Amino acid sequence: MFANLILSARLAAQRAAFNLFGAILMLIGIGFLTVAAWIGLAAAFGTLIAALVIGCVFVGLGLLLIAMASVRRPLPPPAPAPAAAAPVGIAGLVGALVQGIGAGIVASAAMRKPPPPPPPPPPPPAAG
């Protein structure tokens, strides 16, 4: 039981590490893309327009992410409560006890039974 728990924790930590490393690499890539956009826009339109365009792109993306995060999705309805079991009387308890004792007797007899004898050896080959 603990082995599965340790394995699932190890896999979750590995996934988290890969996700973190991927996010760091993506941030580095965004930095380089921003610099490339700055160089291209500054060469084509000047530094003021380049700063305005890049600033507006980042503000627009930020507003889009905030809008996506603020959308409220309806929660699924709660699962219905399980039906209450009918009360078990003394007769049901005694029946369950007798059934359990019978299962134990059958299992114990199966464990005490001697193993079956081995199969007979094959007949010797005919001399020819």
Side-chain angles (χ1 to χ4, degrees):
M1 177 175 160
F2 290 117
N4 287 340
L5 182 64
I6 291 170
L7 178 64
S8 64
R10 184 178 296 146
L11 290 175
Q14 186 179 18
R15 280 192 306 269
F18 280 135
N19 284 334
L20 178 64
F21 190 62
I24 290 171
L25 289 177
M26 287 175 61
L27 286 174
I28 293 170
I30 288 172
F32 277 104
L33 288 173
T34 303
V35 170
W38 174 267
I39 292 171
L41 288 172
F45 301 105
T47 55
L48 179 64
I49 299 296
L52 283 172
V53 169
I54 291 175
C56 287
V57 166
F58 278 115
V59 168
L61 288 174
L63 289 174
L64 181 67
L65 288 175
I66 290 172
M68 287 173 50
S70 65
V71 172
R72 299 209 181 253
R73 293 182 181 93
L75 296 175
V88 178
I90 191 74
L93 290 176
V94 170
L97 176 69
V98 169
Q99 184 178 7
I101 290 173
I105 290 171
V106 168
S108 141
M111 288 182 3
R112 280 188 266 142
K113 190 186 325 181

